[in-house]
């Protein structure tokens, strides 16, 4: 209608609209991609295969990777605050002890699921590794 005033959209509509714009920028939808040479279209070659025996370990690996990333970010932030003199001596001691305990728990959880801390450092291809090299 010509004289209709558009009501302000709610936040969910804004998010949905932004997501729609982002998806339109993608080069192609998965169903539009050509199958690899030598395979028939729709042959199921792109299916993800999961092994029920490793699903739990793989999920734990992903969760521990995220926790380790956050732990390292918190550690860097703490060092910046210490260098800037933003913390009292007591706060520095508490923060250091907390970060050490968190690191010990990470090592324990990795051992429980037969992982090493190096297993948590995902290779992101041309971007390098997710976590910085350990010192």
């Amino acid at each position: 209608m010509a004289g209709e005033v558009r009501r302000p959209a709610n936040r969910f509509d804004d998010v949905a609209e932004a997501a729609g714009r982002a998806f339109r920028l993608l080069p192609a939808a998965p169903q539009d991609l050509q199958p690899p040479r030598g395979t028939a279209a729709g042959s199921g070659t792109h299916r993800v295969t999961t092994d029920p025996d490793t699903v739990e370990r793989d999920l734990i690996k992903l969760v521990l990777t995220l926790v380790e990333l956050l732990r390292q970010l918190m550690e860097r932030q703490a060092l910046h605050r210490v260098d800037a003199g933003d913390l009292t001596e007591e706060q520095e001691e508490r923060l250091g002890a907390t970060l050490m305990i968190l690191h010990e728990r990470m090592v324990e959880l990795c051992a429980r699921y037969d992982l090493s801390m190096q297993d948590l450092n995902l290779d992101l291809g041309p971007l390098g590794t997710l976590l910085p090299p350990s010192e």
Side-chain angles (χ1 to χ4, degrees):
M1 297 184 185
E4 184 176 326
V5 177
R6 185 173 181 248
R7 290 186 340 200
N10 67 29
R11 187 76 176 139
F12 293 118
D13 290 341
D14 292 342
V15 171
E17 188 177 314
R21 283 192 311 269
F23 283 120
R24 283 191 297 276
L25 294 174
L26 292 176
Q31 65 269 18
D32 297 336
L33 297 175
Q34 296 294 323
R37 290 183 187 164
T39 61
S43 66
T45 57
H46 295 290
R47 288 188 180 193
V48 175
T49 56
T50 58
D51 182 5
D53 298 331
T54 63
V55 169
E56 179 182 9
R57 184 175 185 270
D58 294 341
L59 182 61
I60 289 295
K61 182 178 176 182
L62 177 62
V63 170
L64 289 178
T65 298
L66 293 173
V67 170
E68 178 62 13
L69 177 63
L70 291 173
R71 186 195 70 76
Q72 287 187 14
L73 291 172
M74 289 174 19
E75 189 173 283
R76 283 198 193 112
Q77 182 65 31
L79 289 174
H80 286 296
R81 290 188 68 193
V82 167
D83 290 342
D86 291 348
L87 302 173
T88 66
E89 220 173 285
E90 180 184 329
Q91 289 173 323
E92 287 178 21
E93 290 294 322
R94 255 188 22 233
L95 189 56
T98 302
L99 290 171
M100 285 177 21
I101 291 169
L102 182 56
H103 180 72
E104 289 171 8
R105 296 296 185 269
M106 286 294 298
V107 171
E108 290 171 12
L109 285 169
C110 284
R112 180 183 298 169
Y113 289 96
D114 196 28
L115 296 167
S116 69
M117 292 300 280
Q118 290 78 22
D119 291 334
L120 303 182
N121 199 359
L122 303 178
D123 182 10
L124 302 176
L127 297 175
T129 56
L130 177 67
L131 302 172
S134 56
E135 298 161 2

